[in-house]
Amino acid sequence: MTQLETRPQVGDTVRGRSEGGVRAKGLEKNSVGLLGSAVIGISTVAPVYCLTSTLGSTAGEVGLQMPAVFLAGFLPMLLVAFAYRELNRVMPDSGTSFTWTVKAFGPRVGWMCGWGLVIATIIVLSNLAGVATSYFWLLAGEITGSESVAALDGNKAVHIVTCLALIAVATAISYRGMTATKRVQYTLVGLQLVVLAVFVAMALQKAGSGAFDTGIDFSWSWMNPFAVQSFAAFTAGLSLSIFMYWGWDACLSTNEETTGADRTPGRAALIAMVVLVGSYLATGVAAQMAVGSGDKGLGLANPDTSDNVFAALAGPVMGPVLGVALFVAVLASAAASLQTTFIPVARTVLAMSSYEALPESFSKVHPRFKVPGRATVVAGIATGAFYTVMTLVSEHVLVDTIYALGLMICFYYALTAFACAWYFRGELFRSGRDFAFKGLFPVLGGLLLSAVFGKTLYDMWDPAYGSGSAVFGVGSVFVIGVGLLLLGGVIMLVMQRRSPAFFRGEVLRKDTPSLVIPD
């Protein structure tokens, strides 16, 4: 297995840097540019799907301060993005969080960080497949004008078969490599952003004409997070907001396939973040101005419509014809994210296998398509099996599994942020830039996410959190979230017996970079 140089890059002079066992994995180099990388990051987040599923919930928690909470959720994501950028510059490795935390904290912490990313992605994939299935039949019902067609989504057998078919299609596209992925994503992401822009424009027009009784005038006080009525409401809204940004790091997972591997993915991540926060703020403000954030009528917090805001607003805001386009955009958003979300999980598994942290069979790259073929297929099978079992066992369990997702996200993002500061600890006082981007910003981001992790863990103990179900008096969301992390620990112990070299630090070595000599 050849080694991939993490330094030097052109123009740098380096003394004494150990490559620490970082390896190339046979992925197709230079197959993704800056635009393609940014599109992958945006697509994985699924902005239109996130908005339709969380606008109402966030408004219900924080009221008119929804835009402020969107900004508050953006802050820790931005700070963590700086950590990803700095680590990627010296180690453009497809294992991203797994590889970087191993290099900073050692094999066990790194393994658990990789597990957090993998299990979070499997949960998201299953959820996205379910949403895409629901919107497929909802759109079919709108097009045919038949309520019976739309009602097919309520048939459990039809729903599961359709869901498995969508997962199979997404897996097949991902299996055929980055070229096929990019072609699909340019179309689907472009469609999402265009329809979202039309919705914002028409919502503002409706607000200006006073078309809805619940509409309200814009106020800059909406941007003040300190105006949220309680800290509990703020943290609940913040947790939802953080979920809305999850997935931007997918463009870092393709770093070994990206032109300018050390810099392009980091820039793409920041571009994706700016597009996302802009889209969320514009849509949130426009929707709030048009229909308000109350719980009556078309108000965003109406419990009858808050879990699918665009389904309620499509016709009233955009009319019967363009309203269908909004349904198409939500379906496109879920389908696009379903396909690109295979990228980080497959490449993380590939990296873990390449470094002997998982069975060797997952380290195989398809000779023609240059993708981690087996890892991609297994991720698809795992997603289909997970969704089918959870749906058949209990829809409450499936809902609670999705609620537990926030725990996984905060877990591996925070670890990666702290890994950046620790890995570069010898460089922090070399310059003001190094101190800010390699130390201060990542640590702040990690602390914010750790606080959300702790608060979420505390809230999960209450059976009222999530679906309201409990196991021996403990909230089922807590049992699922903590249980999945403990399951990772058990699997790690099994792998430690099978691959002792990795866990002794002999394969991917823990180290600290030596200083770069300035010109």
Side-chain angles (χ1 to χ4, degrees):
M1 189 75 71
T2 59
Q3 289 196 342
L4 173 67
E5 288 192 8
T6 61
R7 288 275 186 103
Q9 300 295 334
V10 177
D12 289 342
T13 303
V14 184
R15 284 183 186 170
R17 176 177 298 280
S18 167
E19 295 184 13
V22 177
R23 299 170 175 174
K25 305 173 189 63
L27 298 167
E28 185 178 5
K29 296 182 181 300
N30 301 322
S31 60
V32 183
L34 178 61
L35 177 61
S37 185
V39 165
I40 287 171
I42 296 169
S43 174
T44 305
V45 174
V48 178
Y49 156 67
C50 284
L51 283 166
T52 193
S53 61
T54 57
L55 268 178
S57 301
T58 307
E61 295 289 351
V62 301
L64 295 174
Q65 265 51 58
M66 175 181 59
V69 171
F70 285 168
L71 282 173
F74 172 70
L75 179 60
M77 293 292 105
L78 178 64
L79 296 174
V80 171
F82 288 128
Y84 273 74
R85 185 186 66 177
E86 296 303 318
L87 286 165
N88 184 74
R89 281 182 171 175
V90 298
M91 285 182 284
D93 188 274
S94 64
T96 59
S97 293
F98 159 74
T99 304
W100 299 334
T101 47
V102 169
K103 298 289 284 181
F105 298 134
R108 289 169 185 80
V109 175
W111 200 98
M112 287 302 299
C113 187
W115 169 258
L117 187 155
V118 169
I119 197 64
T121 308
I122 294 296
I123 293 172
V124 167
L125 281 169
S126 64
N127 185 40
L128 287 167
V131 170
T133 298
S134 296
Y135 265 88
F136 173 82
W137 289 113
L138 184 61
L139 179 61
E142 288 286 326
I143 293 174
T144 61
S146 171
E147 292 185 4
S148 60
V149 172
L152 285 173
D153 184 57
N155 184 307
K156 188 168 289 189
V158 172
H159 180 92
I160 290 175
V161 170
T162 307
C163 187
L164 293 177
L166 290 174
I167 292 172
V169 171
T171 304
I173 295 173
S174 297
Y175 188 85
R176 292 185 62 84
M178 294 306 301
T179 301
T181 296
K182 286 190 301 180
R183 289 171 180 168
V184 173
Q185 292 306 317
Y186 286 148
T187 301
L188 295 180
V189 171
L191 173 65
Q192 288 182 65
L193 296 180
V194 168
V195 173
L196 203 57
V198 173
F199 173 82
V200 169
M202 297 190 74
L204 291 174
Q205 187 272 325
K206 296 286 186 181
S209 64
F212 306 114
D213 294 338
T214 54
I216 51 179
D217 293 331
F218 173 78
S219 171
W220 284 107
S221 65
W222 298 355
M223 303 297 173
N224 178 16
F226 299 103
V228 178
Q229 58 185 355
S230 70
F231 182 70
F234 176 77
T235 55
L238 185 63
S239 181
L240 289 167
S241 180
I242 287 173
F243 167 73
M244 292 178 68
Y245 291 104
W246 179 82
W248 55 266
D249 52 312
C251 52
L252 276 298
S253 298
T254 63
N255 48 22
E256 293 186 42
E257 300 151 271
T258 304
T259 303
D262 61 328
R263 295 184 181 273
T264 301
R267 292 170 179 168
L270 293 176
I271 291 172
M273 294 284 286
V274 170
V275 171
L276 290 168
V277 70
S279 300
Y280 292 162
L281 283 176
T283 306
V285 169
Q288 198 157 269
M289 289 176 64
V291 301
S293 63
D295 58 2
K296 305 296 182 183
L298 289 175
L300 295 176
N302 187 329
D304 295 329
T305 59
S306 62
D307 61 342
N308 193 349
V309 167
F310 287 156
L313 297 184
V317 173
M318 300 180 71
V321 177
L322 288 177
V324 173
L326 193 54
F327 284 104
V328 173
V330 177
L331 175 59
S333 182
S337 183
L338 175 62
Q339 194 248 310
T340 52
T341 304
F342 278 102
I343 291 173
V345 66
R347 280 149 184 79
T348 299
V349 169
L350 170 69
M352 294 179 76
S353 179
S354 297
Y355 297 123
E356 303 175 27
L358 285 177
E360 182 183 2
S361 58
F362 292 115
S363 65
K364 296 179 180 178
V365 171
H366 194 283
R368 176 184 172 190
F369 300 126
K370 301 296 183 183
V371 297
R374 179 166 295 186
T376 300
V377 171
V378 170
I381 294 173
T383 299
F386 179 85
Y387 189 82
T388 301
V389 170
M390 292 297 101
T391 302
L392 292 176
V393 171
S394 170
E395 291 188 5
H396 290 305
V397 175
L398 183 62
V399 169
D400 287 340
T401 303
I402 295 167
Y403 270 96
L405 173 65
L407 205 65
M408 312 299 167
I409 294 172
C410 291
F411 176 74
Y412 85 85
Y413 273 167
L415 275 178
T416 307
F418 292 136
C420 177
W422 187 250
Y423 184 79
F424 291 114
R425 63 191 183 276
E427 299 182 2
L428 295 183
F429 298 102
R430 187 181 61 176
S431 68
R433 184 201 176 280
D434 285 340
F435 178 76
F437 291 106
K438 295 178 180 179
L440 179 62
F441 293 163
V443 167
L444 287 176
L447 289 174
L448 288 171
L449 290 175
S450 296
V452 175
F453 178 91
K455 184 63 168 61
T456 303
L457 200 63
Y458 175 81
D459 291 340
M460 283 178 173
W461 185 268
D462 188 345
Y465 194 92
S467 68
S469 55
V471 179
F472 301 116
V474 179
S476 60
V477 180
F478 181 94
V479 174
I480 291 170
V482 175
L484 288 173
L485 289 176
L486 292 176
L487 175 63
V490 172
I491 296 174
M492 182 182 70
L493 292 176
V494 173
M495 288 306 306
Q496 187 169 321
R497 293 180 63 86
R498 294 187 57 179
S499 305
F502 169 78
F503 289 96
R504 287 197 299 261
E506 297 171 2
V507 180
L508 187 61
R509 296 191 298 277
K510 175 183 174 183
D511 66 9
T512 304
S514 55
L515 294 178
V516 177
I517 300 174
D519 294 333

